[in-house]
Amino acid sequence: MSISNLFSMPLDNVMPDMSAHEPTNIIYTGVAGTGKTYRLLQIAKQYTDYLPKTENEDLLEHLLQGLSWREVLCLVFLDLRAEQQDLLKVREIIDHPFFMTKAAQNSRDKNLDSTAWLELRRHSPTNSQTVSFDNRASQAYFDKDNSGAWYLLPESMVLLEDLSQQLAEFQQAQRDNQPHQNQNIGQQRFSMVSFHQAYGYEEFVEGIRPVMSGASPANNSPSNQTQMSYAVQDGAFLKLCQRAARNPQQRYAMLIDEINRANVSRVFGELLSLIEPDKRAGKPNAMTVSLAYSRRAFSVPANVDIYATMNTQDHSLAPLDMALRRRFRFIDCPPQPNLLSTIRASNDTDTGLSEDLEAGAIDLSKLLTGLNRRIVQTLGVEAQLGHAFLFAITQLEQLQTALVEQIIPQLAQAAGGQITVLQYIFRDEQQPTSKQFVQDSQALMNDDLYNPLGNQNNAFAEHQMFAGQGSFLGQSMSMNSYTINADLIARDGEFNNAAIYQRLY
């Protein structure tokens, strides 16, 4: 699935109406992993002026013209080798400019990951320990390690001398064209910030900050030592408003990630009243205030739009001030399991499978839907999992890692470690211990089914050096009340079978 389809929803709910002249204040709300920040990045593109294609882009298109997908993949690896990056995940490959430009030349914007997977596997060695494929090409170029990262085979380098020479000539032409490269940068008519607990009015509007002045490094005389003074400096929002006021024919945007992670009333200060659409400069009820530090008269321009995200899952933060709620439209961003694909329970998984459920297939859409249905029943709507947790998964190993390192710990925190809730969510109640995703750690210890020192020989536990270690670990586990199945962590046993994941539907 192409990254462009990651958060497909009606455009009028995602993109601003650039033809509208009324100021826009919108907050995108939802649980973690539903693409709220991604929407801000897409909106940023609407407030960026891109200049005409440069000579460098023409050079890149000329380099890739007539090359096969395999050759483009080799170019990506060769290009990144110069940066000491030899191991690449499929996502890194398809996000590389070479790959994206080739896709554009072929008028392709969908299933790009499948294209990369197919070429990598087709040109892998027959004796590969990590890749199984029936229709291999006669010449191998790539192989994959146990972590799922791909690399160029050293013996293939001699076959890539011509391609390496073409790349070197392209890079030299780029350097020769360096004076014109600033044309690649579009003019950004937005400012993006992330709120946090310590973020305040001083960073957002204006504040008194230290200013260093004095001698240059070449002049170290005592009379010319660096000195520190204090001055009123403009914050991110004030700077953006000043730019917008000088260019009233264009729209500007303030993009705020995680708006509820700060005290928003304190951050906005007296500007809280000014951001209302009818209170903007030039509007019928326009308002002007004196700024807190500089005492300058100020009003918010009508061509400034404000977009923000809010994680509704974060209950540790104070709720938004009702005054702020009145000034923003709230757009819900729910999980979208329909964007997820189907994978196979094997070490060589690809995407784009048939919609018909096969014995060895795991439908990630149904898996997320089933988990969220039981999460809502037990923990509430705001504890749901977003589709981003599973979106990039193309192999069983990646699903196992996501469960162990992200999904189960997050749900355990939301459930306060209650084993009955966790086992209900993962349908573990009626399952034998070996098939439980989440196990009762106390019960495991009581039944002598859990060895606190892992799979080591029991004689190791009896060593004098480790006396009391087992009881200490046992107390630690019982405090948490749950443990993740060791076979799931080790990617072993029942957790290599599709059926155990299909039961989560």
Side-chain angles (χ1 to χ4, degrees):
M1 183 178 294
S2 168
I3 192 66
S4 62
N5 297 328
L6 176 54
F7 302 108
S8 57
M9 64 180 297
L11 290 179
D12 57 350
N13 287 338
V14 181
M15 300 300 181
D17 181 4
M18 302 302 290
S19 63
H21 296 288
E22 287 301 312
T24 299
N25 295 341
I26 290 178
I27 294 179
Y28 295 101
T29 66
V31 299
T34 52
K36 301 181 296 297
T37 303
Y38 175 82
R39 288 180 170 85
L40 289 190
L41 297 177
Q42 294 303 106
I43 289 171
K45 295 179 181 179
Q46 305 301 306
Y47 291 85
T48 302
D49 299 323
Y50 295 100
L51 295 172
K53 184 184 294 185
T54 67
E55 293 180 33
N56 283 342
E57 290 173 302
D58 289 332
L59 288 171
L60 179 55
E61 290 190 357
H62 179 74
L63 170 69
L64 302 177
Q65 193 69 43
L67 295 185
S68 66
W69 277 114
R70 192 272 303 165
E71 291 172 314
V72 172
L73 291 179
C74 289
L75 273 180
V76 171
F77 280 97
L78 292 171
D79 184 53
L80 294 179
R81 279 172 67 91
E83 303 175 15
Q84 283 74 50
Q85 190 175 354
D86 296 323
L87 294 172
L88 300 178
K89 296 284 190 177
V90 171
R91 173 53 54 192
E92 295 174 295
I93 294 172
I94 66 176
D95 284 343
H96 192 279
F98 291 176
F99 195 96
M100 296 304 296
T101 301
K102 185 63 178 180
Q105 286 181 343
N106 294 350
S107 300
R108 290 277 307 282
D109 62 357
K110 296 180 180 179
N111 300 321
L112 298 182
D113 48 355
S114 296
T115 299
W117 273 104
L118 180 62
E119 290 300 312
L120 290 166
R121 296 162 67 195
R122 178 181 293 158
H123 295 279
S124 62
T126 55
N127 61 350
S128 173
Q129 301 299 307
T130 55
V131 181
S132 59
F133 194 66
D134 296 331
N135 188 26
R136 279 188 167 89
S138 58
Q139 179 61 53
Y141 290 88
F142 319 103
D143 203 356
K144 183 174 64 172
D145 66 9
N146 291 325
S147 72
W150 292 84
Y151 58 92
L152 267 179
L153 294 170
E155 56 267 31
S156 70
M157 293 302 297
V158 67
L159 304 173
L160 300 176
E161 291 181 356
D162 288 345
L163 209 56
S164 298
Q165 181 61 34
Q166 293 180 50
L167 178 61
E169 292 173 357
F170 165 73
Q171 292 170 336
Q172 182 60 49
Q174 274 193 316
R175 288 189 288 271
D176 294 342
N177 193 38
Q178 191 71 31
H180 306 288
Q181 284 203 354
N182 60 349
Q183 295 176 359
N184 276 326
I185 303 174
Q187 180 188 6
Q188 296 180 343
R189 291 179 283 106
F190 67 88
S191 179
M192 188 169 185
V193 298
S194 293
F195 279 9
H196 51 80
Q197 287 86 340
Y199 199 86
Y201 180 91
E202 292 74 16
E203 291 83 13
F204 194 64
V205 184
E206 66 171 9
I208 298 177
R209 299 182 189 176
V211 177
M212 307 303 292
S213 62
S216 66
N219 186 352
N220 293 321
S221 64
S223 60
N224 259 331
Q225 292 299 311
T226 300
Q227 297 181 347
M228 183 173 67
S229 60
Y230 292 88
V232 176
Q233 297 188 32
D234 297 336
F237 185 66
L238 193 57
K239 289 178 180 177
L240 181 77
C241 288
Q242 291 168 345
R243 291 176 57 200
R246 292 193 294 266
N247 188 13
Q249 302 305 315
Q250 293 277 15
R251 300 208 67 77
Y252 288 73
M254 188 74 229
L255 308 178
I256 306 170
D257 200 22
E258 301 283 8
I259 192 172
N260 58 323
R261 293 193 67 85
N263 184 332
V264 291
S265 296
R266 180 184 179 278
V267 171
F268 278 88
E270 67 274 15
L271 302 193
L272 196 58
S273 298
L274 303 187
I275 64 174
E276 290 189 55
D278 67 325
K279 305 293 194 305
R280 304 293 188 93
K283 295 297 180 179
N285 300 316
M287 286 183 60
T288 301
V289 299
S290 295
L291 295 177
Y293 289 92
S294 64
R295 313 311 300 173
R296 289 176 291 176
F298 176 76
S299 60
V300 177
N303 59 329
V304 172
D305 301 321
I306 305 174
Y307 300 90
T309 67
M310 185 176 76
N311 186 350
T312 56
Q313 227 166 356
D314 202 335
H315 291 291
S316 64
L317 307 171
L320 279 181
D321 189 296
M322 289 304 296
L324 192 66
R325 285 190 175 275
R326 286 196 301 104
R327 291 164 170 82
F328 281 84
R329 292 165 47 205
F330 283 73
I331 295 179
D332 184 39
C333 302
Q336 298 181 70
N338 58 293
L339 299 179
L340 302 178
S341 60
T342 300
I343 65 173
R344 287 188 181 276
S346 70
N347 291 328
D348 191 33
T349 305
D350 200 354
T351 57
L353 300 178
S354 169
E355 294 181 0
D356 297 330
L357 185 62
E358 301 177 11
I362 303 170
D363 189 327
L364 298 180
S365 173
K366 292 181 179 179
L367 189 149
L368 181 65
T369 299
L371 285 176
N372 276 340
R373 182 172 59 251
R374 293 184 293 278
I375 290 170
V376 170
Q377 292 171 353
T378 54
L379 302 175
V381 174
E382 292 181 359
Q384 290 182 95
L385 300 169
H387 49 275
F389 283 100
L390 303 176
F391 180 80
I393 290 176
T394 57
Q395 301 180 59
L396 176 59
E397 293 90 338
Q398 295 171 325
L399 174 59
Q400 293 164 333
T401 299
L403 287 167
V404 171
E405 298 180 0
Q406 294 180 289
I407 293 175
I408 294 178
Q410 175 165 315
L411 293 178
Q413 181 177 1
Q418 299 178 66
I419 186 63
T420 54
V421 173
L422 292 173
Q423 289 196 332
Y424 174 76
I425 292 173
F426 287 93
R427 289 187 167 175
D428 286 330
E429 314 103 304
Q430 307 302 322
Q431 299 295 324
T433 305
S434 63
K435 293 186 177 182
Q436 292 179 342
F437 286 86
V438 183
Q439 300 167 325
D440 187 334
S441 55
Q442 186 63 52
L444 286 173
M445 289 185 289
N446 292 342
D447 295 339
D448 293 326
L449 295 175
Y450 179 72
N451 177 7
L453 296 177
N455 293 322
Q456 305 296 326
N457 190 295
N458 285 337
F460 175 78
E462 295 171 1
H463 193 287
Q464 181 179 3
M465 184 179 191
F466 299 96
Q469 177 102 0
S471 60
F472 170 77
L473 289 176
Q475 292 173 7
S476 175
M477 291 303 299
S478 64
M479 289 173 61
N480 291 329
S481 79
Y482 81 96
T483 185
I484 300 174
N485 194 312
D487 283 346
L488 175 59
I489 297 174
R491 302 173 180 175
D492 198 8
E494 297 289 344
F495 292 92
N496 284 327
N497 300 323
I500 201 167
Y501 302 96
Q502 291 168 359
R503 87 161 190 250
L504 300 180
Y505 297 175

